[in-house]
Amino acid sequence: MSDHSNEASRAHIRLRFNDGVKAELRLISKDGQLLTPSTTTVLLLNLSQNGLCFLSGLQLPIQKNYLVECRMTISNVQINVRGRIVWNARKDNQYSHGVLFECSNTLRSLIIGVMNQEILERQPQQQKIHYLYSRLLNTKRMHYSG
């Protein structure tokens, strides 16, 4: 199994949660049918636009025949996203799991916006620099589009 602690090798920025952000998780089939009647609460470790990592007492298998559905609230926005377990690792008496999202670009954009809002709430003194980068990004998109 590869080491998943190497943050530098990842393609997307991860928003880490140190303050116990919880999510509700349930197992569903590929066509959206519930596989279990109940949900379980998991602890989010990090979130990116393409996936998340959570900690749980359950060891979920790495298989393509089912999905996990995660419901979480971040920056007062409720997000409900589906994905598949792509790795897991034992951590003391619990398991960390990596989830790769299977979602629309619209939901992915919402996740990016929520991550940005969370960063701004954590560091309000950085709002001006975020605004300037946002303007720069939008200017480049208009100039290079086509």
Side-chain angles (χ1 to χ4, degrees):
M1 174 177 281
S2 63
D3 179 12
H4 296 284
S5 63
N6 185 1
E7 301 277 337
S9 68
R10 295 181 172 170
H12 298 285
I13 293 172
R14 300 261 188 298
L15 179 63
R16 291 186 190 188
F17 298 107
N18 299 322
D19 52 353
V21 174
K22 294 180 180 174
E24 293 296 316
L25 182 128
R26 62 185 186 166
L27 305 180
I28 59 172
S29 66
K30 297 282 275 184
D31 62 357
Q33 300 296 316
L34 277 177
L35 295 177
T36 56
S38 61
T39 62
T40 187
T41 301
V42 298
L43 187 65
L44 291 179
L45 299 178
N46 65 54
L47 173 71
S48 79
Q49 69 188 51
N50 284 338
L52 59 80
C53 178
F54 69 87
L55 192 63
S56 170
L58 301 174
Q59 182 182 15
L60 299 172
I62 303 167
Q63 297 176 352
K64 294 184 178 185
N65 63 344
Y66 77 99
L67 298 172
V68 293
E69 185 174 75
C70 298
R71 181 174 299 176
M72 65 202 103
T73 301
I74 300 175
S75 291
N76 296 318
V77 176
Q78 188 174 40
I79 299 171
N80 192 17
V81 63
R82 295 177 178 178
R84 57 187 171 87
I85 304 290
V86 293
W87 64 265
N88 61 32
R90 188 174 177 98
K91 221 178 199 183
D92 297 322
N93 61 344
Q94 296 198 329
Y95 295 90
S96 56
H97 295 81
V99 176
L100 179 65
F101 293 152
E102 293 188 3
C103 66
S104 67
N105 287 334
T106 302
L107 181 53
R108 199 173 313 279
S109 293
L110 173 71
I111 291 168
I112 293 169
V114 167
M115 288 174 60
N116 186 53
Q117 182 63 34
E118 179 71 16
I119 291 169
L120 290 175
E121 288 175 10
R122 288 181 186 184
Q123 299 177 333
Q125 69 278 13
Q126 300 291 327
Q127 285 188 354
K128 184 174 182 180
I129 192 83
H130 281 272
Y131 172 74
L132 293 173
Y133 276 119
S134 176
R135 278 190 42 204
L136 180 63
L137 180 63
N138 289 332
T139 302
K140 285 185 175 182
R141 281 185 182 157
M142 288 188 296
H143 180 52
Y144 293 111
S145 64

